[in-house]
Amino acid sequence: MASRDSHPHDSESPDNNFHPTTTHHPSYLNQFPQYSHPLLDSATNSWQSRAPGGSEHASSSPADDMKSPGWAKMTLSVASVPRFRHILIYGALCILAWVGWRMLLSPQLQDQNSHLHSSPRPDGLVHIRTLDRDLVPGDTSKGDLGQTSRKRLIFVGDVHGCKDELVQLLEKVSFNQKGGDHLVFVGDMINKGPDSKGVVDLAREHSASSVRGNHEDRILLLRQEMVKTKTLTTPDEGRYSGFSSRELAERALARSLSEEQAQWLENCPMILNVGQIPGMGQVVVVHAGLVPGIELEKQDPSSVMTMRTIASDTNVPSPKKKGSNWAKMFDKHQAKLYLSLETPIDNPLANAMTVVYGHDASTSLSIRTFTKGLDSGCVTGGKLTALVIEDGGKQSIVQVSCHGYFKG
């Protein structure tokens, strides 16, 4: 008969290491001697190193540890810490600030500096010329009452090759060179219209003065390039040449100019300093505009020919229409300067500056106290305008209607 303490199923037990040692007053530790130590001491990670085929590896490589899901969890847990997120945000902001400086602010400041302090182009360009003082109207008229002034300056807006309209305008103002009149163009005498060469010849015939406009500049630079490429005397092949109709017209004009005509245009300065005129102060002629507060010698030659607006925050001129109108800014600047200066009683505007210009046909005739815009869109069917200044500073506007030769 089997004892009461016997275990008939011990041989079938899955754990052959389990052997009770006593039946008298059993205790937990005495019944399970193998687990008398903490369970952690018996734990192994051999299941992690067991290969699918049943083989075991003594250790795992660091690369395997890096690939384990634990690293991803650790990374996510670190990234979820608020302080770590703040560091990431601050770092991203610093990178964006650096990129913004390198890509946007630094180039803009360099562009501003180049605009305001650039030197004339190294192509023989005449920056500033002063008009002969003998041609400038005096303080009072020397003629008898009822007769024309002894000296007059006839400033003419953008002609653009409209010779017939120019002849009509000079007849309307009774232009008399021998009687003391002097003709001054504000640039863009040529291009777009039907007779650019005729306009240049008329100007030369009357010993006129002119500043260099952006269209003179473009045609002259094109002519220089055609000389270098030896295509000045070679006719283009029309629509098969690869040039647009506008480019073909400009190349034809550059090719048609004689050496004398081209040289006369080359000698036209960017800025013409007329001198002091009663009631106007120092009169200056440019094609497009001037940046207020900048000396004439430091004005950017390219901007003088092309500007329409000025960025109010950077003071950088632009040929685009988006921005502050340079003439309005210049007029306000001169008005404040005039009010802040002590001027002679006989000529209260002696320390001011007045600019006569063209270029901006979109605003048409624009006459302000210190800026006189004379481009009234002649070549597109508008009018050709003359500003007549006589002895004593008397001013008048004369205009003639024009045909629409060009559609922009």
Side-chain angles (χ1 to χ4, degrees):
M1 182 176 180
S3 171
R4 185 175 59 182
D5 296 328
S6 64
H7 297 274
H9 301 290
D10 284 349
S11 60
E12 299 175 4
S13 173
D15 191 354
N16 295 325
N17 295 325
F18 180 72
H19 299 285
T21 57
T22 180
T23 59
H24 302 286
H25 307 288
S27 67
Y28 187 82
L29 294 176
N30 290 332
Q31 288 184 4
F32 304 97
Q34 182 181 354
Y35 299 100
S36 60
H37 298 288
L39 291 177
L40 185 61
D41 293 346
S42 301
T44 65
N45 63 348
S46 59
W47 62 274
Q48 292 181 329
S49 60
R50 189 179 301 276
S55 62
E56 297 183 357
H57 301 279
S59 63
S60 59
S61 65
D64 293 335
D65 292 341
M66 289 292 294
K67 295 179 181 178
S68 66
W71 281 98
K73 293 180 180 180
M74 183 180 297
T75 303
L76 291 176
S77 63
V78 173
S80 64
V81 177
R83 180 176 296 179
F84 184 79
R85 290 201 303 268
H86 293 164
I87 294 175
L88 287 179
I89 293 173
Y90 294 149
L93 291 176
C94 291
I95 294 174
L96 289 175
W98 182 83
V99 172
W101 167 259
R102 294 287 298 177
M103 301 298 293
L104 298 175
L105 294 180
S106 181
Q108 185 177 12
L109 292 176
Q110 291 176 2
D111 183 59
Q112 176 185 3
N113 184 67
S114 65
H115 272 298
L116 297 183
H117 303 289
S118 61
S119 301
R121 296 180 325 202
D123 56 5
L125 191 67
V126 181
H127 196 182
I128 302 176
R129 179 170 290 141
T130 300
L131 189 65
D132 187 347
R133 183 61 196 171
D134 291 337
L135 301 174
V136 181
D139 292 342
T140 57
S141 175
K142 303 299 182 180
D144 297 332
L145 294 176
Q147 295 184 358
T148 58
S149 172
R150 183 181 66 87
K151 291 180 183 178
R152 293 193 308 172
L153 289 176
I154 315 296
F155 298 92
V156 179
D158 301 35
V159 180
H160 278 297
C162 301
K163 181 184 177 182
D164 291 343
E165 286 80 357
L166 177 59
V167 172
Q168 295 174 21
L169 182 64
L170 295 182
E171 291 177 352
K172 193 170 183 178
V173 300
S174 301
F175 178 76
N176 184 357
Q177 182 180 352
K178 295 181 179 180
D181 293 343
H182 183 65
L183 187 59
V184 181
F185 293 94
V186 298
D188 279 7
M189 300 168 57
I190 63 174
N191 207 9
K192 295 184 177 181
D195 192 2
S196 294
K197 292 180 61 178
V199 172
V200 175
D201 287 339
L202 188 148
R204 295 173 62 206
E205 177 185 345
H206 292 304
S207 302
S209 298
S210 179
V211 293
R212 186 174 181 132
N214 61 303
H215 281 272
E216 282 89 8
D217 190 59
R218 179 157 54 210
I219 298 301
L220 291 172
L221 291 178
L222 175 60
R223 195 172 191 275
Q224 293 175 9
E225 181 64 26
M226 293 171 69
V227 169
K228 292 179 181 179
T229 57
K230 299 181 180 180
T231 57
L232 184 63
T233 58
T234 305
D236 298 311
E237 298 178 357
R239 61 191 181 95
Y240 301 106
S241 63
F243 297 109
S244 65
S245 58
R246 175 181 174 179
E247 290 172 330
L248 286 172
E250 291 182 345
R251 289 176 66 86
L253 174 56
R255 189 176 287 114
S256 69
L257 292 174
S258 67
E259 288 294 331
E260 293 76 14
Q261 292 169 334
Q263 189 59 51
W264 189 87
L265 292 173
E266 288 280 4
N267 289 332
C268 293
M270 311 295 299
I271 301 173
L272 179 64
N273 185 5
V274 175
Q276 289 285 332
I277 294 181
M280 301 180 72
Q282 181 185 5
V283 176
V284 175
V285 183
V286 295
H287 177 59
L290 293 175
V291 178
I294 302 297
E295 299 175 5
L296 294 180
E297 293 77 9
K298 294 183 179 180
Q299 295 282 340
D300 175 49
S302 179
S303 297
V304 166
M305 291 186 296
T306 61
M307 65 187 297
R308 286 189 174 91
T309 58
I310 296 178
S312 57
D313 54 343
T314 62
N315 220 33
V316 174
S318 170
K320 299 180 180 179
K321 297 180 181 179
K322 183 179 180 180
S324 300
N325 183 279
W326 80 267
K328 290 182 179 180
M329 293 182 64
F330 192 93
D331 207 73
K332 290 181 180 179
H333 178 270
Q334 289 299 311
K336 292 180 180 179
L337 183 64
Y338 163 65
L339 293 175
S340 65
L341 295 175
E342 296 183 1
T343 56
I345 298 177
D346 58 340
N347 187 6
L349 294 175
N351 293 315
M353 178 182 290
T354 300
V355 180
V356 183
Y357 68 99
H359 185 60
D360 196 359
S362 61
T363 59
S364 192
L365 182 66
S366 181
I367 304 298
R368 296 183 174 89
T369 303
F370 299 103
T371 56
K372 318 290 182 181
L374 304 182
D375 186 0
S376 44
C378 176
V379 74
T380 57
K383 295 183 178 181
L384 185 61
T385 300
L387 169 65
V388 182
I389 300 179
E390 305 177 19
D391 283 329
K394 180 182 178 181
Q395 304 174 36
S396 60
I397 295 292
V398 181
Q399 293 181 312
V400 296
S401 298
C402 303
H403 296 86
Y405 300 105
F406 183 85
K407 294 182 180 180

